[in-house]
Amino acid sequence: MAKDSNGWPVRKTINPTLGGKRCNCSDILTIHQARGKRKKFLYSMCDNCGTDQRTGTRIQERFKQYFTTMAELTASEEANQTDDKPTLAEPEVVPTNNKPTVEPEQTETPTEPEPDKKPSAWRVILTGIILGGLTGGAITRLS
């Protein structure tokens, strides 16, 4: 795959690549600045997931957190891998309480009768069709 001057994969877009990061699918995600009416928004492109042009504030904040070069991304990933070495932790001591638990007596509360269920939508539509057919036929015969 062709790479641009910063090491990011070249995409089929006229907008330049601002940077990139790892996608949720673990592939490379490139970040681009939109043009025209959407020029204040960023969008992303991934080979597996496609183009993501959502404009919500949360996703735009995620898009703004990118690496400018591929070397920065790989350096960050390598640093995270060395920090994530598993360490043996001491087991947690959970205090046990040997006191018997006393449950309060449940008094019967009067239960309210359940409200009548509304008829389903298909039943209402079917009833309307039948009534419309009967009354429509009766009206045309009387005229």
Side-chain angles (χ1 to χ4, degrees):
M1 174 173 268
K3 306 273 184 187
D4 67 0
S5 61
N6 290 326
W8 301 113
V10 175
R11 308 286 188 196
K12 292 182 181 180
T13 180
I14 58 173
N15 299 326
T17 302
L18 299 177
K21 59 183 180 177
R22 278 287 167 204
C23 183
N24 293 337
C25 69
S26 73
D27 199 9
I28 299 295
L29 177 83
T30 54
I31 305 293
H32 305 269
Q33 181 76 44
R35 292 185 182 174
K37 289 190 282 184
R38 303 180 75 157
K39 66 183 175 185
K40 62 181 178 179
F41 298 114
L42 300 174
Y43 67 94
S44 67
M45 295 180 81
C46 172
D47 288 332
N48 293 330
C49 301
T51 303
D52 186 358
Q53 296 181 343
R54 293 181 285 177
T55 59
T57 54
R58 289 179 68 190
I59 194 71
Q60 287 295 310
E61 289 301 318
R62 285 190 207 144
F63 286 165
K64 289 177 184 175
Q65 300 169 357
Y66 60 84
F67 297 98
T68 54
T69 64
M70 187 68 155
E72 288 178 5
L73 174 65
T74 54
S76 171
E77 288 175 345
E78 288 173 359
N80 287 341
Q81 286 178 355
T82 59
D83 291 346
D84 293 339
K85 288 184 180 178
T87 58
L88 294 176
E90 294 183 21
E92 255 184 65
V93 178
V94 179
T96 57
N97 198 357
N98 292 335
K99 295 180 184 176
T101 57
V102 179
E103 294 182 17
E105 292 183 23
Q106 294 181 357
T107 59
E108 289 188 33
T109 57
T111 57
E112 296 178 15
E114 292 184 22
D116 294 333
K117 293 183 179 178
K118 293 182 181 178
S120 61
W122 67 269
R123 192 169 190 178
V124 172
I125 293 171
L126 186 60
T127 304
I129 291 171
I130 292 171
L131 287 175
L134 291 175
T135 56
I139 292 174
T140 55
R141 289 192 181 128
L142 294 176
S143 303

